[in-house]
């Protein structure tokens, strides 16, 4: 019965929510600067009867709450940051709108006849700033029984492995000089940076297949006739677990140190964002979502835990709270995230339709978690006895 009611509510919100998603898509905002999106969601939640509170020190985060405040406390997580230059090329407009739709549909369908709490947690800065990790540290997730979200992709799968990731800033300090007049006086921070990248390529063959090392030079000097006295790169180090990442970070640091010694410069290597953790998907919850997606005609594939993957700060949440991060097909197979093609897909009619089906599935799963104590116990049992998903 509740399922029918959720279906009808989501259907009735279709036009509004498609417009909501497309509006976010037209207003891409960088990590931790998502003021437009956060305000838009807060306003909508308040209109709907959720109480909305701030997260200390994070102006674009928020927590919407409906219900008694007591357990079970089921949270829908909303991401809404975009990427530099290419906008919503990760499709977070869909995550945000789909999660919001699910929360509203569940709230309306369930009415006041339940013990528990529906939470909508605004989680800014997924693209590197680790908003969820900061929120974990601030206690935003304390007492949450399950965290539900999804991510757009090129196929629909209930779960997938994800790597742990360190975000590094690599800086070299040299000595400026006229590049032709008195280069012997200079110490070249760009030469150091190039040595560093070459040293990393020497390392690359001898790291685990599942690890990834990649970065860009963000400051390569100011003029060709000045010996650069400062250069910077941002660099990501990925591996299966946080421990493996930290071991690899030491080897990356050695590459930077050797480059600095060779060029007479000085290097600094620091983490410029929180460490993203490996992902522990709750298969019990994710399988329930998959069932509801299939009931709506969506082809859910069996996940193949192979090959390269990204990372997300949901990993850190998933090690503490039963969490899901299923993928929803919005683009033709093979369309990679963080591309112009994926950005266009995130605004397509097909994507909005799929988002609404996911919203319905998440809302129904949320209802099960709130109302079916046996199901919630199974979820917690799995959480207590399982570990992260790793590639086979
Ligand atoms: Zn994303
Ligand atoms: Zn992304």
């Amino acid at each position: 019965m509740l399922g029918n009611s959720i279906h009808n509510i989501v259907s009735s919100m279709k036009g509004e929510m498609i417009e909501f998603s497309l509006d976010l898509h037209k207003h891409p905002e960088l990590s931790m600067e998502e003021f437009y999106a956060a305000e838009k969601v807060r306003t909508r939640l308040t209109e709907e009867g959720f109480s909305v509170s701030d997260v200390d020190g994070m102006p674009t985060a928020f927590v919407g709450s409906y219900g008694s405040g007591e357990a079970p406390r089921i949270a829908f997580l909303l991401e809404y940051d975009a990427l530099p230059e290419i906008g919503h090329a990760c499709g977070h407009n869909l995550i945000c709108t789909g999660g919001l739709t699910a929360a509203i549909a569940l709230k309306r369908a369930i009415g006041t006849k339940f013990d528990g709490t529906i939470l909508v947690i605004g989680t800014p800065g997924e693209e590197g700033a680790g908003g969820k990790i900061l929120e974990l540290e601030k206690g935003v997730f304390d007492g949450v029984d399950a965290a539900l979200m999804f991510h757009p992709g090129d196929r629909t799968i209930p779960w997938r492995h994800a790597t742990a990731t360190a975000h590094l800033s690599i800086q070299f300090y040299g000595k400026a000089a006229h590049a032709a007049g008195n280069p012997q006086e200079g110490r070249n921070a760009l030469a150091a940076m190039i040595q560093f990248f070459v040293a990393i390529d020497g390392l690359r063959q001898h790291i685990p297949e599942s690890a990834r090392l990649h970065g860009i030079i963000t400051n390569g000097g100011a003029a060709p006739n000045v010996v650069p006295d400062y250069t910077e790169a941002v660099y990501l180090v990925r591996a299966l677990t946080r421990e493996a990442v930290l071991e690899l970070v030491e080897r990356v640091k050695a590459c930077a140190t050797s480059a600095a010694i060779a060029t007479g410069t000085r290097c600094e290597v620091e983490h410029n964002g929180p460490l993203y953790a490996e992902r522990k998907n709750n298969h019990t919850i994710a399988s329930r979502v998959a069932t509801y997606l299939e009931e709506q005609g969506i082809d859910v594939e069996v996940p193949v835990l192979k090959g390269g993957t990204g990372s997300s700060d949901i990993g850190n949440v998933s090690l503490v709270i039963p969490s899901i991060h299923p993928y929803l097909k919005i683009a033709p197979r093979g369309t990679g995230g963080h591309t112009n093609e994926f950005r266009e897909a995130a605004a397509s009619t097909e994507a909005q339709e799929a988002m609404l089906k996911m919203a319905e599935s998440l809302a129904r799963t949320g209802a099960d978690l709130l109302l079916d104590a046996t199901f919630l116990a199974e979820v917690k049992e799995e959480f207590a006895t399982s570990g992260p998903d790793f590639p086979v």
Side-chain angles (χ1 to χ4, degrees):
M1 292 309 287
L2 207 56
N4 278 342
S5 159
I6 287 170
H7 175 75
N8 292 336
I9 293 164
V10 172
S11 299
S12 73
M13 291 196 292
K14 182 175 174 180
E16 181 206 345
M17 286 307 172
I18 290 177
E19 207 175 292
F20 197 104
S21 163
L22 296 179
D23 185 50
L24 292 182
H25 193 270
K26 279 194 208 111
H27 293 91
E29 297 169 294
L30 295 179
S31 286
M32 308 312 264
E33 296 173 14
E34 313 95 326
F35 293 97
Y36 181 83
E39 190 52 38
K40 192 174 167 76
V41 177
R42 291 178 70 124
T43 302
R44 189 66 190 80
L45 285 171
T46 306
E47 281 168 9
E48 196 62 35
F50 283 78
S51 63
V52 182
S53 53
D54 298 334
V55 176
D56 203 25
M58 295 177 68
T60 57
F62 57 84
V63 179
S65 174
Y66 176 81
S68 66
E70 302 299 316
R73 288 160 58 85
I74 307 306
F76 296 96
L77 308 194
L78 274 48
E79 294 176 3
Y80 30 78
D81 58 333
L83 293 153
E85 313 275 335
I86 52 174
H88 269 299
C90 210
H92 293 185
N93 59 307
L94 300 164
I95 300 177
C96 178
T97 311
L100 175 66
T101 307
I104 293 175
L106 175 57
K107 178 255 171 188
R108 287 195 197 168
I110 208 167
T112 52
K113 291 176 271 158
F114 75 108
D115 291 320
T117 311
I118 303 168
L119 297 169
V120 182
I121 302 182
T123 66
E126 189 282 327
E127 299 287 359
K132 295 182 195 66
I133 303 167
L134 304 176
E135 289 178 311
L136 269 172
E137 288 164 2
K138 290 172 189 289
V140 169
F141 289 95
D142 290 358
V144 174
D145 292 285
L148 311 185
M149 66 172 293
F150 75 100
H151 200 288
D154 71 340
R155 67 200 71 181
T156 300
I157 43 174
W159 58 79
R160 196 170 191 198
H161 61 293
T163 51
T165 302
H167 303 78
L168 300 180
S169 162
I170 317 280
Q171 299 170 70
F172 289 98
Y173 295 86
K175 186 162 175 272
H178 192 293
N182 58 339
Q184 67 278 12
E185 303 293 326
R187 295 294 179 268
N188 195 324
L190 180 59
M193 185 61 83
I194 292 165
Q195 286 287 327
F196 166 71
F197 272 74
V198 172
I200 288 282
D201 283 337
L203 174 64
R204 203 183 299 283
Q205 187 188 349
H206 309 288
I207 61 174
E209 257 181 80
S210 49
R212 295 284 188 273
L213 301 169
H214 51 97
I216 58 166
I217 299 173
T218 50
N219 185 333
N225 55 2
V226 178
V227 173
D229 63 350
Y230 175 75
T231 52
E232 186 185 15
V234 288
Y235 218 87
L236 303 192
V237 178
R238 305 190 196 236
L240 288 184
T241 64
R242 284 171 298 177
E243 291 72 23
V245 165
L246 292 175
E247 279 175 26
L248 211 43
V249 164
E250 291 307 309
R251 295 170 75 188
V252 168
K253 278 184 184 169
C255 292
T257 305
S258 67
I261 291 169
T263 53
T265 59
R266 182 171 65 81
C267 74
E268 280 181 17
V269 178
E270 49 195 40
H271 291 260
N272 64 356
L275 188 60
Y276 282 29
E278 56 274 25
R279 189 177 304 164
K280 176 173 161 175
N281 300 283
N282 191 283
H283 295 198
T284 307
I285 307 178
S287 299
R288 185 66 59 98
V289 172
T291 301
Y292 292 146
L293 287 171
E294 281 168 341
E295 281 182 18
Q296 296 175 83
I298 288 194
D299 181 23
V300 181
E301 296 179 37
V302 176
V304 179
L305 301 188
K306 276 190 180 151
T309 62
S311 319
S312 165
D313 53 5
I314 188 67
N316 302 63
V317 176
S318 77
L319 296 179
V320 183
I321 295 163
S323 305
I324 58 163
H325 189 278
Y327 293 85
L328 178 71
K329 180 178 166 65
I330 66 150
R333 188 92 172 196
T335 311
H338 294 196
T339 60
N340 289 327
E341 292 73 24
F342 203 83
R343 181 194 57 225
E344 296 313 310
S348 67
T349 307
E350 297 74 23
Q352 317 312 312
E353 303 267 347
M355 170 191 81
L356 293 171
K357 288 181 177 176
M358 178 57 89
E360 184 173 327
S361 304
L362 291 178
R364 290 180 68 183
T365 304
D368 295 344
L369 289 163
L370 281 175
L371 302 176
D372 182 348
T374 310
F375 178 54
L376 184 59
E378 283 169 20
V379 165
K380 293 194 169 188
E381 169 70 15
E382 182 197 323
F383 183 77
T385 55
S386 68
D389 289 292
F390 291 120
V392 288

